[in-house]
Amino acid sequence: MNKQAFILLTMAAALFSCAPKEPTDLTQNTVIPKPVLVTATGNSFQLNDETGIFVNRDELSSTAAYLSEKLNPATGFELAVQTADEAPTSGIFLTLGHDPELGDEGYELLIDKKLLTVRANQPAGIFRGIQTIRQLLPAAIENKTVQEMDWTIPTGTIRDFPEYEYRGTMLDVARHFLGVDDVKHYLDLMAYYKFNVMHLHLSDDQGWRIEIKSWPKLTEIGGSTEVGGGEGGFFTQEQYTELVNYAAERFITIVPEIDMPGHTNAALASYPELNCDGKAPELYTGTEVGFSTLCTDKEITYQFVDDVIRELAEITPGPYIHIGGDESHVTKLEDYIPFIERVQDIVYSYEKTMIGWDEVTLAKLDQRSIAQYWASAENAKNAVDQGVKVIMSPAAKAYLDMQYDSISPLGLHWAGYIEVDTGYNWDPATYNESIGRENILGIEAPLWTETVTNRSDMEYLVFPRLAGYAEIGWSPANGRNWDDYKLRLSSHGNIYDSWGINYYRSTRVPWQE
């Protein structure tokens, strides 16, 4: 190369390096749930190996470490966590303050060229804001190996807070047992989309899945099988506590459910004295419902319930105990009503709040109790008339175990087919004319596991619909629409691929390749 050519190349390189970068637009993000308010300033914040993570409270150190851990695999950066009383000049700053509009879970992201600040009133808000940071970075941030690329986020401001205080999913581990690692995996996926409740369905006709030390045969006998005759399984109380703590680190509350007086064959097979005839039925591995009931006339039944609720309450720091109450078809109404009312008193005697499926509204409920609407509009009206808050889980819209379409390999369709757009396109506040916004505590998407035998099956039915339920629970209804949502969702397929999860590639979503 001659001297003149070298000079020209050097000048061109200099001009190129000084050229202004293309402007960015934070409003064109793919964040799910959709943030409440986004403004853009047109520059970029760049994450690099010198970026520090700073906290102004010691209580944020574990959350900061979580962020560093999530960013490390794809970037290779070891982002050190440090304490700073005041905002640093550069890096990522997690700080607690006082902003009434944000509530307990809201957050504000202030993204400048050198400093990214996450502000919130509570550590839960900081954690929710971190999930948004993960989604603002290139999708490759979710890879498990180092990716050579620039890690930039458009500058601007995001103010964000949830529409509903209760945003949950339910995992049925009774029909088919899913173990500790599977539940932790689900909790991680939930955390990414800002869920704050996991409802664990721990007992049913086919299996009893939580150790009760005062009634050991519940797991010894009742936990020994599952749908189809598999070996079943159960959580020891120590394993359950491990799950509770793992969830709490992600600001997710575990709600345990013991279904009663129906859906109790596993318990009845374990302890004959809970049956009216004193005889133990055979263990059950089918999928029909409504044939079992505790003997509501026996005092031993209430001692059993008291012991179960007491032991569960001792290992459940969250405020809720779910008593089921659904599909108890062989329990006479005159027996069902006093049973629910007495069990409700037992729950409150251990300073927990009772939740039940919508059938419990046939009884007189304490106004602190919560009804979970899944099937009956009349029952939902009963809840509202009693001044009881409602969790919205209408089966035709929110049941994750419903098939996507008639050729889906997994799931059922008794409540209909729920394609991705069907699961997204509804508003809890207008779904039922008897239930107004003021009556609703939140939303929950249940996954029943009649057809789910392993983690891959679970993932397929959950994704991508879970993201839509997250948005329904978090984002204002007037800012949601399918055409916008499907485009944001389309980029999340790459994230699911990075996670290595099994998901349904709906033809109604224009997935990015």
Side-chain angles (χ1 to χ4, degrees):
M1 180 184 295
N2 61 39
K3 184 176 181 181
Q4 185 177 11
F6 177 77
I7 292 172
L8 288 171
L9 281 172
T10 303
M11 291 176 62
L15 285 170
F16 180 78
S17 65
C18 295
K21 294 183 177 180
E22 288 293 321
T24 65
D25 187 353
L26 184 61
T27 65
Q28 300 302 305
N29 63 74
T30 59
V31 174
I32 298 173
K34 186 177 184 179
V36 173
L37 180 66
V38 183
T39 57
T41 53
N43 287 308
S44 295
F45 169 86
Q46 182 157 353
L47 190 73
N48 58 50
D49 59 1
E50 296 182 356
T51 301
I53 303 176
F54 300 86
V55 299
N56 74 335
R57 303 280 184 87
D58 288 341
E59 63 195 288
L60 297 179
S61 295
S62 60
T63 301
Y66 169 93
L67 174 60
S68 179
E69 178 187 324
K70 289 297 180 185
L71 299 181
N72 171 259
T75 66
F77 304 154
E78 300 287 346
L79 306 181
V81 176
Q82 306 168 57
T83 301
D85 293 332
E86 297 181 355
T89 56
S90 63
I92 298 172
F93 184 42
L94 312 182
T95 177
L96 295 180
H98 180 66
D99 187 335
E101 185 181 39
L102 297 181
D104 289 342
E105 292 187 90
Y107 63 91
E108 183 177 54
L109 292 187
L110 302 170
I111 309 165
D112 294 324
K113 289 179 68 175
K114 293 186 176 181
L115 181 64
L116 191 164
T117 302
V118 188
R119 286 182 182 157
N121 297 329
Q122 300 292 337
I126 299 292
F127 188 83
R128 307 299 178 221
I130 283 172
Q131 309 316 313
T132 297
I133 291 173
R134 292 171 66 187
Q135 293 189 34
L136 290 173
L137 285 160
I141 195 65
E142 297 300 320
N143 273 272
K144 298 170 184 174
T145 58
V146 173
Q147 310 293 304
E148 296 297 335
M149 60 185 300
D150 289 336
W151 301 105
T152 60
I153 296 176
T155 57
T157 300
I158 293 178
R159 284 181 62 81
D160 202 14
F161 43 87
E163 175 70 15
Y164 292 102
E165 66 176 273
Y166 183 112
R167 305 177 311 282
T169 65
M170 188 211 78
L171 180 60
D172 167 18
V173 294
R175 268 44 177 271
H176 281 101
F177 182 63
L178 296 164
V180 170
D181 289 343
D182 293 326
V183 177
K184 285 182 176 180
H185 174 65
Y186 198 4
L187 286 164
D188 284 332
L189 300 176
M190 290 170 59
Y192 188 76
Y193 287 115
K194 303 185 176 74
F195 283 93
N196 66 355
V197 176
M198 174 182 269
H199 167 185
L200 282 176
H201 184 76
L202 292 168
S203 70
D204 215 297
D205 292 313
Q206 300 87 351
W208 186 283
R209 307 303 183 199
I210 181 68
E211 176 190 22
I212 302 298
K213 294 182 185 296
S214 56
W215 296 75
K217 291 181 182 177
L218 289 171
T219 48
E220 179 187 334
I221 297 174
S224 66
T225 190
E226 62 184 15
V227 167
E231 65 181 13
F234 64 92
F235 300 123
T236 65
Q237 291 195 5
E238 291 74 20
Q239 288 173 323
Y240 176 83
T241 297
E242 183 183 343
L243 290 174
V244 166
N245 292 338
Y246 192 85
E249 291 168 1
R250 287 144 185 79
F251 300 91
I252 295 172
T253 297
I254 296 289
V255 176
E257 179 190 351
I258 301 297
D259 210 344
M260 59 182 102
H263 289 280
T264 46
N265 194 79
L268 300 172
S270 304
Y271 286 96
E273 57 267 41
L274 299 176
N275 295 275
C276 288
D277 62 5
K279 298 178 182 178
E282 294 293 320
L283 289 168
Y284 181 68
T285 61
T287 59
E288 295 300 315
V289 301
F291 60 87
S292 61
T293 182
L294 294 170
C295 191
T296 61
D297 292 335
K298 284 187 172 182
E299 196 58 30
I300 188 67
T301 294
Y302 298 97
Q303 184 58 57
F304 164 75
V305 172
D306 191 284
D307 287 339
V308 170
I309 298 299
R310 172 180 53 79
E311 292 196 34
L312 264 184
E314 288 172 353
I315 57 176
T316 301
Y320 305 115
I321 298 286
H322 202 303
I323 68 159
D326 61 315
E327 298 177 319
S328 196
H329 302 321
V330 297
T331 314
K332 295 178 181 178
L333 188 59
E334 58 265 32
D335 296 327
Y336 177 86
I337 289 173
F339 174 86
I340 294 297
E341 292 172 356
R342 187 165 175 182
V343 171
Q344 177 177 237
D345 290 342
I346 293 171
V347 172
Y348 284 104
S349 75
Y350 292 105
E351 300 182 338
K352 298 297 182 183
T353 297
M354 189 195 85
I355 304 177
W357 298 105
D358 62 44
E359 288 93 329
V360 300
T361 64
L362 298 170
K364 180 175 174 53
L365 297 183
D366 187 300
Q367 286 195 344
R368 294 171 292 176
S369 294
I370 298 160
Q372 187 163 359
Y373 171 50
W374 71 282
S376 170
E378 184 178 350
N379 289 341
K381 187 176 186 304
N382 289 341
V384 172
D385 290 346
Q386 294 192 60
V388 168
K389 291 283 189 180
V390 177
I391 297 167
M392 296 296 289
S393 302
K397 288 289 187 178
Y399 268 31
L400 287 162
D401 56 301
M402 292 299 106
Q403 292 172 284
Y404 293 99
D405 56 30
S406 62
I407 60 172
S408 292
L410 295 168
L412 306 172
H413 58 264
W414 58 263
Y417 299 108
I418 303 181
E419 245 289 1
V420 178
D421 56 343
T422 303
Y424 180 82
N425 278 326
W426 65 286
D427 179 0
T430 60
Y431 184 77
N432 183 294
E433 62 182 12
S434 300
I435 310 172
R437 172 65 184 85
E438 69 279 6
N439 309 122
I440 300 173
L441 181 66
I443 175 179
E444 182 178 293
L447 177 66
W448 304 99
T449 58
E450 286 93 339
T451 69
V452 173
T453 62
N454 54 47
R455 180 186 295 191
S456 179
D457 292 348
M458 175 182 75
E459 292 169 346
Y460 181 82
L461 287 173
V462 167
F463 281 94
R465 288 182 292 198
L466 191 72
Y469 298 126
E471 185 148 304
I472 292 170
W474 182 282
S475 306
N478 61 9
R480 293 196 294 109
N481 70 82
W482 169 250
D483 288 337
D484 166 69
Y485 172 72
K486 71 181 181 182
L487 294 178
R488 283 180 288 122
L489 179 61
S490 68
S491 68
H492 286 233
N494 292 327
I495 294 168
Y496 303 156
D497 291 335
S498 295
W499 290 343
I501 67 171
N502 183 24
Y503 67 100
Y504 169 65
R505 288 182 67 89
S506 170
T507 57
R508 302 185 188 186
V509 178
W511 301 103
Q512 294 181 10
E513 297 301 330

